[in-house]
């Protein structure tokens, strides 16, 4: 029987999530009972002349949100080796909240639980409620609400948002029977850019591309600019 897989949070010092923050990831003592993932779309409402209602014009897609509650229990019942609440809170906050002077911001974080839940993001908020205390007032149990926003680096956003953008370089496989204008239409939704592609690849033919396997479609200036 496989052991219990605990949710963990790993800190990263780069926006591509390649360089791990020093120290071990923070593993929660008790897994959350539920996880909330929030996705949304923002629109600008515009009402055309002589119409009775507004239409929604796409504005943006905000980052996905991940939120959940976890419990840290330092009574010794859950884990006899983890009974120092201050140490637990500090370890968690160091990874997700504390300002990292080396990168001039808090860490980027990866939330993982088993094989199916992986969330790259940044902390939005952390709320800590202490619910059980020793006679001297020291906290023994805490309920922590965490909220994260998905983080995607600007470089990756560009690749995701503009797969057909003329601002990016593309390596295009030439299909049998397709002309250069057709390839431009397929790649950029603009067949008028074929002249610039031909010049870049030193082509003297536009229609019959037989014998050519791949072409480089460079960043170009759209014809309507």
């Amino acid at each position: 029987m496989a052991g219990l897989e605990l949710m963990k949070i790993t800190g990263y010092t780069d926006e591509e999530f390649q360089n791990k923050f020093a120290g071990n990831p923070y593993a929660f003592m008790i897994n959350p009972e539920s996880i909330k993932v929030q996705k949304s779309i923002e629109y600008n409402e515009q009402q055309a002349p002589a119409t009775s209602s507004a239409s929604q014009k796409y504005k943006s897609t905000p980052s996905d949100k991940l939120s959940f509650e976890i419990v840290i229990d330092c009574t010794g019942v859950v884990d006899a080796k983890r009974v120092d609440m201050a140490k637990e809170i500090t370890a968690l906050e160091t990874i997700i909240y504390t300002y990292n002077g080396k990168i001039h911001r808090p860490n980027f974080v990866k939330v993982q639980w088993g094989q199916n839940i992986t969330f790259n993001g940044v902390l939005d908020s952390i709320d800590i409620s202490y619910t059980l205390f020793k006679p001297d007032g020291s906290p023994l149990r805490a309920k922590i609400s965490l909220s994260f926003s998905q983080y995607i680096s600007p470089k990756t956003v560009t690749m995701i948002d503009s797969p057909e953008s003329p601002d990016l370089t593309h390596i295009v496989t030439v299909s049998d029977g397709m002309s250069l204008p057709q390839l431009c239409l397929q790649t950029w939704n603009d067949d008028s850019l074929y002249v610039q592609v031909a010049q870049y690849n030193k082509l003297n033919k536009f229609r019959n591309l037989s014998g050519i396997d791949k072409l480089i479609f460079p960043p170009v200036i759209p014809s309507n600019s």
Side-chain angles (χ1 to χ4, degrees), residues 103-144:
I103 60 174
H104 308 293
R105 56 164 299 148
N107 293 323
F108 303 93
V109 296
K110 177 178 288 187
V111 181
Q112 294 172 283
W113 190 7
Q115 300 298 315
N116 297 320
I117 296 178
T118 300
F119 188 91
N120 292 350
V122 291
L123 178 71
D124 281 340
S125 64
I126 174 172
D127 295 316
I128 305 173
S129 300
Y130 296 104
T131 59
L132 183 66
F133 302 87
K134 294 180 182 178
D136 66 1
S138 302
L140 285 171
R141 188 177 296 137
K143 179 183 290 185
I144 301 180

Side-chain angles (χ1 to χ4, degrees), residues 12-224:
Y12 286 83
T13 58
D14 69 302
E15 60 186 12
E16 299 292 345
F17 296 86
Q18 298 297 316
N19 302 316
K20 290 184 179 181
F21 178 63
N24 296 323
Y26 185 85
F28 293 118
M29 301 171 71
I30 304 171
N31 286 325
E33 292 184 356
S34 64
I35 295 175
K36 179 181 179 181
V37 177
Q38 181 181 7
K39 297 173 181 283
S40 61
I41 299 175
E42 292 183 350
Y43 296 94
N44 287 324
E45 290 200 354
Q46 297 179 341
Q47 187 161 347
T51 59
S52 60
S53 62
S55 61
Q56 292 179 313
K57 184 176 181 181
Y58 175 79
K59 179 181 178 183
S60 64
T61 302
S63 299
D64 291 356
K65 304 287 186 182
L66 176 74
S67 58
F68 54 88
E69 289 188 347
I70 56 98
V71 172
I72 295 178
D73 189 310
C74 291
T75 61
V77 174
V78 177
D79 189 334
K81 296 179 180 179
R82 297 173 66 174
V83 293
D84 187 333
M85 179 63 72
K87 183 178 179 181
E88 293 291 332
I89 297 296
T90 298
L92 175 60
E93 289 187 344
T94 297
I95 290 176
I96 68 173
Y97 172 76
T98 305
Y99 182 85
N100 184 340
K102 291 183 178 180
I103 60 174
H104 308 293
R105 56 164 299 148
N107 293 323
F108 303 93
V109 296
K110 177 178 288 187
V111 181
Q112 294 172 283
W113 190 7
Q115 300 298 315
N116 297 320
I117 296 178
T118 300
F119 188 91
N120 292 350
V122 291
L123 178 71
D124 281 340
S125 64
I126 174 172
D127 295 316
I128 305 173
S129 300
Y130 296 104
T131 59
L132 183 66
F133 302 87
K134 294 180 182 178
D136 66 1
S138 302
L140 285 171
R141 188 177 296 137
K143 179 183 290 185
I144 301 180
S145 298
L146 294 167
S147 178
F148 300 90
S149 287
Q150 184 181 36
Y151 186 89
I152 304 175
S153 70
K155 178 181 177 181
T156 303
V157 168
T158 300
M159 294 173 63
I160 293 173
D161 286 353
S162 306
E164 299 174 353
S165 171
D167 298 331
L168 299 178
T169 297
H170 302 264
I171 298 176
V172 176
T173 300
V174 178
S175 302
D176 289 340
M178 291 196 73
S179 67
L180 194 55
Q182 288 174 318
L183 289 172
C184 289
L185 186 65
Q186 175 182 286
T187 305
W188 289 326
N189 198 33
D190 188 343
D191 61 1
S192 67
L193 299 174
Y194 74 93
V195 175
Q196 298 179 63
V197 176
Q199 290 173 344
Y200 188 88
N201 288 272
K202 296 182 172 56
L203 294 180
N204 57 10
K205 54 185 178 180
F206 303 145
R207 300 292 176 190
N208 182 7
L209 300 176
S210 60
I212 300 174
D213 182 37
K214 295 183 184 297
L215 290 172
I216 297 176
F217 280 38
V220 297
I221 301 173
S223 58
N224 58 0

